Amino acid sequence: MGFMEAFFKKIGVRKEEQSRAVLLFVYQFLVVSVLVMGRIVRDTLFLKRYDVKQLPLMYIGVALFVSLLTYIYSRKSAYFRLDVLIKLIMTFSAFVMMLILVFVKLHFSFSYPLLYIFVEIMGAFMMFQFWSFANELLDSREAKRVLGFVGVGGILASFAAGEGISLIVKLLSVENVLFVSLFFMIATVFIVDYMGRRYRSKLQRSVFIKSPKSFETIEKQSTFSSKYVRNIAVITSLIFISSTLVDYEFKVTAAQTYSEAELAAFFGWIYAIFSGVFSLFFQFFATRKLLKLGVFASLSILPFMLTGFSAFFFIFPSIAFIAGAKASDYAFRYTINDSAMQLLYIPLQPSLRRKAKATIDGIVKPLSIGFSGLLIYFISRSAIDNKYITAAIIIVGVCWLTLFVIIRKQYLAVLMDNIKRKKIHTGEFNIKEDVISSIVHESLSSNNDEEIIMSLDMIDKGRYYEMIRHYISILPISAPKIKRRILRLLRKTESRFYSYDVLRMMQDQDPDTACEAILTYGFIHMEKSIKHTSLFLKNKNLRIKAAAIISLIRYGGIMGIMNAAPYLKDLTDSVIPKERVSAAYILGELRQRNMQQKLFSLLNDNSVKVRREAVKAVGLVEASDAIPALFFLLNDRFVNIDVVRVLAGFGNKILSPAENILSNNLDPISLKTAVAKVLGGLESPECQKILMLSLETRSDDLRTEILRSLRKISVTGIEFNAKDFRMLERTFYKELFNYFQLLYNKQKLLSFTGESNIVDIINEKQKATVFRIFAILGILYGKEVFDTVYFNLTRHDVTAEHRSNAIEIIDNIVNLEKRKLLIPVIELVDEKELMKIGFDNFKIKNLKISDILEIMLMDDNQWVRAITLYTIADEDFEKFADKVHNFVYDASPIVREMAVYAVTKFKVKLTDEEKSYLRNDASENVVKYFKHINKEND
């Protein structure tokens, strides 16, 4: 490992980020050098060769010119790549600086204010373009790792420029320093050109295509429509109001104390020590750690220092205290404060980010400086004591610190908004009767089926059932789906006026339409419908027959029941499955509890279709006596989805049997898992209590489902008590331990088997562990936030920027103790580094390979057991040869099948009882495979 690679590893910069880090480092070194040298020269020349009383006017001039030029820039810059703009502006600036230098050499008095304003204009553009450039090349996580190192470039530049000027002014006049600035500006053009070619695709993302439409988009995209952007602007404004007031106090005090040569040397010394040595030390040893602690902790340092030193200066007006404030500005503004401020911009969309950065740095910043200049000008021209300037700094500092509380919530909201997928929601609507009437007539005249269906839906939602009369004329000639809609709506009118029209539909060629007509006719005429409805009891079509039975029993009174009951019994007792399905459907539609015993017998039917229909019917009848039977049907993979839905409909009635199953060690994990899933659908405090009692289960699958259900419950407003939160905290750390133990197990198995199916199984178990970790975080900190974060961290089609912003949310919400363990799990790719973190924080078990395989053979998941058996057999792990035959009795057919393979591979002799068991196995696949293997052996 080379020195640079070791260095970058030490400071946390990843391999793929190193080239960008170095190039940005050099870029910042060059622009900060230009800016520092320009400011020292212009300050010295202005303070010693011009009227110092005009200094406040310089602040105002800077504000006006920088704001105007930035406004023009922000309107046009979106059409060009940033590197192109930087090269153009830097080249033009070099030409202007050369011209001003000529004026200075000729001793033109206007050259000094011109140089003062020009340096600030050039500096404003150089710095916001640099940070915009860095933001284009880095996402939020990369920025946290890289910007600390990049900031060192600026610090070294301050130190080098400050020390360099101290030496140059001893030999040459002050203005000659600008020749060095010109050289650095030309070097900047070359390095930006190189970076532009190398990272063209990243820089192209925020460029608008030139077109009238894109121009309109840019014009409509208001920079300050977002409260978040407005608050960034306010913070920026407070920074520069405060630093400008400090700058004025410092310069005036220094000018009164030193001669021209001494003043240049003093400024150079201040730059070198505080903007150089101190900042370098701070950047290396504190910036990265502070950024990890949080953006807003980092941003609080500068206002605290400026306000504190200014308070001392207010009480004790000594140059030492105001120099301390200025030194803090040099030391912290261009290190931790600049790095942290850039992180506030990164969650914004690229096009808005560039525009906001240019507008705030190029307009808000200079206007703030201009406002400060006006304030200073007013105070300096009046009888007001200059102490009020210091008082203003203190007030601004307090406001500055207070604003961080507000913007922190907005920062997280913008991060969330950035990574969320857009969803379209539909809502309820109310439509006036005259509007509905108009829609009805238009749909009838259009002869368009979709428009007619839409109008029928509106009638139903608006409960304007009398309007169904308009559709009677099209009933015989409509499409079947429209006929059925009209007939269903006629049942809601409770009118016999259309009886003849309904009667005709009972003979419709479409069976579903005939069914709806039979039910509608029965509803309209009740007992008087028996004569016509009974004719359909012998119909060969089961759907029509079922409709007749339902209509007669539901609406026909005693005579109707007597007519229909024998036909229902025949269907229930039939040997034909589809007739039993029809019987279950009828029992469900009738919703009569006195018939539920017939329904219970169908729950255990041999036909899947019958069981499914019977389960649905139990839900419709609300037969709570069937709850225990339904729970055990959860293991029936053909009907379990229907069972879950029906059990959820019973509400709290299922709690007692559910609790019994979860607490019973003899019930299978698959059943418990299904029960936990059902409880999550109820979303009640009682369910929460039952689930929390089961959370310490050793089964990963059951824990996953319990946490999934608890997460659902957490969004309903049901509160978790302190004991629950402590339990969730413990489970969080147990899951992290589980993750690191699985990582250790995987590395151990890799040395034994290499890349194999068993390693893939461990990878899947690790993914499940991460899901459970995020489920816990969702309960502790908010489901919606952490569901979105989890989505953006686990989906392959999510951009690196969204993934980075998702991690940034964790970094700002989750407490330090948790996130220092969690973030490496989701961010680091080097498993050796991860394993070191695991051993440093948990008591990872140093298991042998045989121990790991033994644990996996006992896993609740059938696939884990099956793949482990296969690996043991495939790798000829003889130690387990005498154990594999035990798995021929496993509950899972997949595991039994794999046990047959393992037994054959190890040539284990099965007992007659085991052979008999396999020949008569409930799974056809196991039987076929066993016979096939036996035939081969014979």
Side-chain angles (χ1 to χ4, degrees):
M1 185 185 292
F3 170 75
M4 286 304 294
E5 190 176 345
F7 170 74
F8 280 123
K9 187 174 182 181
K10 181 71 176 175
I11 64 173
V13 177
R14 295 182 179 177
K15 190 173 182 180
E16 66 272 15
E17 300 161 356
Q18 289 172 13
S19 60
R20 281 175 286 165
V22 171
L23 289 167
L24 287 170
F25 173 94
V26 175
Y27 181 11
Q28 191 178 52
F29 178 88
L30 293 171
V31 295
V32 172
S33 296
V34 171
L35 184 56
V36 169
M37 286 186 286
R39 282 178 172 170
I40 290 175
V41 171
R42 69 98 198 261
D43 286 346
T44 303
L45 295 178
F46 187 89
L47 292 171
K48 290 301 179 181
R49 299 186 187 179
Y50 204 73
D51 183 7
V52 73
K53 293 181 180 178
Q54 304 305 316
L55 184 58
L57 296 179
M58 294 301 98
Y59 296 142
I60 298 167
V62 166
L64 294 174
F65 280 104
V66 174
S67 300
L68 177 62
L69 292 172
T70 305
Y71 175 73
I72 296 168
Y73 173 88
S74 65
R75 287 175 62 86
K76 302 298 180 184
S77 63
Y79 296 127
F80 303 94
R81 279 209 329 268
L82 194 52
D83 59 311
V84 175
L85 287 169
I86 292 170
K87 288 186 292 183
L88 287 171
I89 291 172
M90 190 65 74
T91 304
F92 179 74
S93 297
F95 172 76
V96 174
M97 181 174 279
M98 178 65 77
L99 193 62
I100 293 174
L101 183 55
V102 172
F103 294 152
V104 171
K105 289 288 185 183
L106 294 173
H107 301 290
F108 291 146
S109 61
F110 67 83
S111 62
Y112 306 116
L114 182 62
L115 177 63
Y116 195 103
I117 293 172
F118 171 73
V119 167
E120 281 305 313
I121 293 171
M122 180 182 67
F125 274 82
M126 281 195 307
M127 293 315 298
F128 77 64
Q129 284 188 324
F130 168 78
W131 287 116
S132 295
F133 197 76
N135 289 343
E136 295 291 331
L137 300 187
L138 304 169
D139 62 39
S140 57
R141 298 304 297 172
E142 290 171 337
K144 276 195 170 181
R145 291 188 290 268
V146 170
L147 289 182
F149 170 71
V150 171
V152 174
I155 295 165
L156 288 175
S158 297
F159 178 76
E163 280 296 304
I165 285 178
S166 296
L167 295 172
I168 291 170
V169 296
K170 291 177 182 178
L171 304 172
L172 303 170
S173 59
V174 175
E175 65 267 19
N176 289 321
V177 175
L178 296 178
F179 285 111
V180 183
S181 295
L182 286 167
F183 174 77
F184 281 9
M185 291 168 78
I186 294 166
T188 303
V189 172
F190 281 104
I191 196 165
V192 170
D193 179 67
Y194 172 75
M195 294 170 75
R197 285 184 279 109
R198 184 166 181 176
Y199 304 110
R200 184 187 181 105
S201 60
K202 287 181 177 289
L203 295 166
Q204 194 67 37
R205 291 179 302 177
S206 60
V207 179
F208 277 85
I209 304 298
K210 289 185 180 181
S211 69
K213 186 176 180 180
S214 70
F215 181 77
E216 185 181 349
T217 303
I218 297 169
E219 291 301 303
K220 287 183 178 179
Q221 188 179 31
S222 174
T223 308
F224 296 114
S225 58
S226 161
K227 284 184 179 179
Y228 178 67
V229 175
R230 290 201 297 272
N231 281 331
I232 293 177
V234 173
I235 287 175
T236 303
S237 179
L238 294 175
I239 289 172
F240 285 95
I241 289 172
S242 184
S243 62
T244 303
L245 296 176
V246 167
D247 183 68
Y248 176 80
E249 292 274 71
F250 170 69
K251 285 176 182 175
V252 169
T253 307
Q256 292 169 355
T257 309
Y258 301 106
S259 65
E260 181 174 320
E262 290 173 335
L263 187 61
F266 177 69
F267 285 159
W269 180 79
I270 290 288
Y271 267 112
I273 298 299
F274 292 100
S275 197
V277 175
F278 181 83
S279 296
L280 188 63
F281 176 84
F282 188 82
Q283 192 79 351
F284 267 121
F285 295 101
T287 296
R288 191 161 61 91
K289 291 180 180 179
L290 281 169
L291 286 174
K292 282 188 175 182
L293 286 174
V295 175
F296 298 96
S298 305
L299 285 170
S300 300
I301 295 172
L302 180 59
F304 180 79
M305 297 299 287
L306 289 182
T307 307
F309 274 115
S310 296
F312 279 112
F313 183 70
F314 184 81
I315 301 168
F316 309 107
S318 165
I319 191 171
F321 291 120
I322 197 62
K326 186 61 181 177
S328 300
D329 188 42
Y330 285 151
F332 300 117
R333 178 144 63 99
Y334 300 111
T335 55
I336 185 64
N337 198 74
D338 264 359
S339 297
M341 281 299 294
Q342 304 325 303
L343 291 173
L344 296 183
Y345 287 98
I346 286 175
L348 297 171
Q349 293 300 320
S351 57
L352 178 59
R353 181 168 61 216
R354 185 200 281 195
K355 191 173 182 181
K357 182 71 180 163
T359 305
I360 291 172
D361 281 7
I363 297 176
V364 174
K365 171 183 166 181
L367 285 177
S368 302
I369 295 170
F371 170 77
S372 305
L374 282 172
L375 180 63
I376 294 166
Y377 188 80
F378 172 74
I379 292 173
S380 64
R381 289 293 188 275
S382 65
I384 300 173
D385 195 320
N386 274 7
K387 272 195 168 186
Y388 285 100
I389 295 177
T390 311
I393 298 170
I394 297 167
I395 294 167
V396 169
V398 172
C399 296
W400 188 354
L401 287 164
T402 305
L403 190 59
F404 291 144
V405 179
I406 299 168
I407 199 172
R408 184 180 182 276
K409 293 181 180 179
Q410 294 171 351
Y411 174 69
L412 295 174
V414 172
L415 280 170
M416 276 296 296
D417 185 60
N418 185 280
I419 65 175
K420 273 184 179 178
R421 303 287 182 179
K422 291 182 180 179
K423 297 179 182 178
I424 298 172
H425 300 277
T426 56
E428 295 295 328
F429 55 90
N430 296 312
I431 303 176
K432 292 182 179 179
E433 187 173 356
D434 56 342
V435 176
I436 286 281
S437 180
S438 174
I439 291 171
V440 166
H441 287 99
E442 285 182 19
S443 66
L444 288 170
S445 60
S446 71
N447 292 321
N448 184 298
D449 288 355
E450 293 304 318
E451 288 189 20
I452 293 171
I453 289 171
M454 182 189 73
S455 62
L456 289 169
D457 284 342
M458 288 183 174
I459 287 171
D460 195 11
K461 285 182 180 178
R463 299 178 181 272
Y464 298 115
Y465 301 126
E466 69 281 359
M467 289 190 181
I468 201 64
R469 67 184 186 277
H470 298 295
Y471 295 88
I472 298 300
S473 60
I474 67 166
L475 183 58
I477 59 172
S478 296
K481 60 183 178 181
I482 294 175
K483 290 178 182 178
R484 293 194 292 272
R485 296 276 185 108
I486 295 170
L487 288 165
R488 281 197 290 271
L489 286 172
L490 281 171
R491 291 207 287 276
K492 296 181 179 181
T493 63
E494 301 184 7
S495 170
R496 296 183 181 183
F497 191 76
Y498 309 110
S499 297
Y500 177 71
D501 300 284
V502 175
L503 192 61
R504 281 196 303 169
M505 288 295 102
M506 290 166 71
Q507 302 295 335
D508 196 270
Q509 292 182 351
D510 176 55
D512 292 331
T513 301
C515 290
E516 289 294 343
I518 290 167
L519 291 169
T520 302
Y521 191 79
F523 177 82
I524 292 172
H525 287 280
M526 305 302 279
E527 290 89 344
K528 294 180 181 179
S529 67
I530 294 174
K531 176 182 174 182
H532 293 287
T533 305
S534 296
L535 298 174
F536 296 96
L537 288 171
K538 295 182 180 181
N539 197 289
K540 292 180 180 180
N541 187 296
L542 282 175
R543 281 179 290 175
I544 293 175
K545 187 174 187 176
I549 293 171
I550 293 167
S551 182
L552 287 166
I553 294 175
R554 188 183 284 171
Y555 308 121
I558 298 296
M559 288 300 297
I561 294 171
M562 291 177 64
N563 280 344
Y567 292 93
L568 176 57
K569 186 177 186 305
D570 290 344
L571 291 174
T572 306
D573 299 337
S574 174
V575 295
I576 303 170
K578 64 181 181 180
E579 291 189 349
R580 298 198 300 278
V581 170
S582 183
Y585 170 75
I586 292 166
L587 290 168
E589 288 296 311
L590 289 173
R591 293 173 170 79
Q592 293 187 12
R593 294 198 177 185
N594 59 347
M595 297 183 177
Q596 65 186 23
Q597 288 305 318
K598 293 180 181 179
L599 187 57
F600 294 167
S601 65
L602 297 175
L603 285 172
N604 298 314
D605 199 276
N606 292 328
S607 167
V608 172
K609 290 182 178 178
V610 175
R611 294 201 302 277
R612 181 174 290 125
E613 199 61 54
V615 168
K616 292 177 184 177
V618 166
L620 293 171
V621 176
E622 297 180 0
S624 56
D625 293 345
I627 289 174
L630 288 174
F631 269 125
F632 284 93
L633 278 174
L634 287 169
N635 280 328
D636 186 339
R637 63 189 177 91
F638 299 108
V639 300
N640 55 12
I641 294 174
D642 301 287
V643 172
V644 168
R645 191 180 298 114
V646 169
L647 282 170
F650 281 108
N652 288 343
K653 292 178 182 178
I654 71 169
L655 294 180
S656 181
E659 187 173 8
N660 291 337
I661 291 170
L662 286 173
S663 59
N664 188 349
N665 293 329
L666 299 177
D667 282 327
I669 291 296
S670 57
L671 176 59
K672 292 183 177 185
T673 303
V675 169
K677 183 176 182 179
V678 173
L679 291 177
L682 292 185
E683 301 174 354
S684 69
E686 293 80 10
C687 291
Q688 175 194 312
K689 184 179 178 181
I690 293 170
L691 290 166
M692 287 300 302
L693 289 172
S694 304
L695 186 57
E696 289 193 299
T697 175
R698 296 180 65 182
S699 167
D700 291 345
D701 290 348
L702 178 54
R703 221 164 44 252
T704 297
E705 204 54 60
I706 288 172
L707 287 168
R708 200 191 301 270
S709 294
L710 285 170
R711 190 180 56 170
K712 285 183 184 177
I713 291 170
S714 69
V715 300
T716 62
I718 297 169
E719 292 186 4
F720 288 73
N721 59 39
K723 184 179 178 182
D724 292 338
F725 281 120
R726 285 195 297 272
M727 171 72 77
L728 289 165
E729 294 265 354
R730 286 200 302 274
T731 308
F732 174 86
Y733 289 109
K734 284 179 182 177
E735 293 296 350
L736 275 171
F737 164 76
N738 190 30
Y739 181 91
F740 286 110
Q741 185 66 60
L742 285 168
L743 183 60
Y744 172 85
N745 295 352
K746 181 172 72 172
Q747 290 180 342
K748 199 82 172 178
L749 287 171
L750 279 169
S751 66
F752 168 61
T753 66
E755 295 292 340
S756 65
N757 290 329
I758 198 166
V759 173
D760 292 338
I761 282 290
I762 292 184
N763 285 331
E764 291 303 313
K765 286 179 75 65
Q766 284 183 298
K767 288 178 184 177
T769 304
V770 171
F771 170 81
R772 291 193 293 273
I773 287 169
F774 274 91
I776 294 168
L777 292 174
I779 298 167
L780 294 174
Y781 298 104
K783 176 182 178 295
E784 183 182 358
V785 172
F786 278 90
D787 277 2
T788 309
V789 169
Y790 178 75
F791 174 88
N792 281 273
L793 290 175
T794 54
R795 285 289 295 268
H796 295 296
D797 57 345
V798 172
T799 65
E801 183 181 2
H802 283 128
R803 179 181 172 81
S804 177
N805 287 337
I807 298 173
E808 186 66 13
I809 289 172
I810 296 171
D811 214 13
N812 282 273
I813 292 180
V814 179
N815 67 38
L816 179 61
E817 187 180 355
K818 291 191 187 73
R819 70 176 187 254
K820 75 177 183 181
L821 296 172
L822 175 59
I823 288 179
V825 167
I826 56 181
E827 195 172 38
L828 283 181
V829 290
D830 190 330
E831 291 191 347
K832 289 182 180 178
E833 286 186 39
L834 267 182
M835 205 63 254
K836 184 179 183 305
I837 293 171
F839 276 113
D840 288 345
N841 292 278
F842 297 100
K843 293 181 179 179
I844 306 298
K845 298 175 184 175
N846 292 292
L847 301 173
K848 298 177 182 177
I849 290 171
S850 57
D851 296 330
I852 296 169
L853 294 173
E854 187 84 50
I855 291 167
M856 295 182 74
L857 282 175
M858 297 298 106
D859 198 278
D860 292 320
N861 189 289
Q862 60 179 352
W863 288 105
V864 176
R865 299 196 301 276
I867 294 298
T868 306
L869 277 172
Y870 175 81
T871 303
I872 287 168
D874 206 48
E875 298 286 341
D876 292 323
F877 207 88
E878 293 287 345
K879 187 172 182 178
F880 288 91
D882 60 340
K883 297 182 180 181
V884 293
H885 70 97
N886 295 327
F887 289 90
V888 300
Y889 296 109
D890 195 275
S892 166
I894 298 166
V895 178
R896 296 198 298 272
E897 193 173 339
M898 203 57 69
V900 173
Y901 170 76
V903 163
T904 307
K905 194 81 188 295
F906 286 123
K907 297 180 181 178
V908 175
K909 190 173 181 181
L910 295 174
T911 64
D912 291 339
E913 181 186 348
E914 288 168 340
K915 289 179 181 178
S916 174
Y917 183 85
L918 289 170
R919 287 193 189 97
N920 298 288
D921 197 280
S923 168
E924 290 182 14
N925 290 335
V926 175
V927 174
K928 287 179 182 177
Y929 184 60
F930 177 69
K931 288 180 178 179
H932 172 72
I933 291 292
N934 265 1
K935 190 183 291 184
E936 284 184 354
N937 291 338
D938 293 340

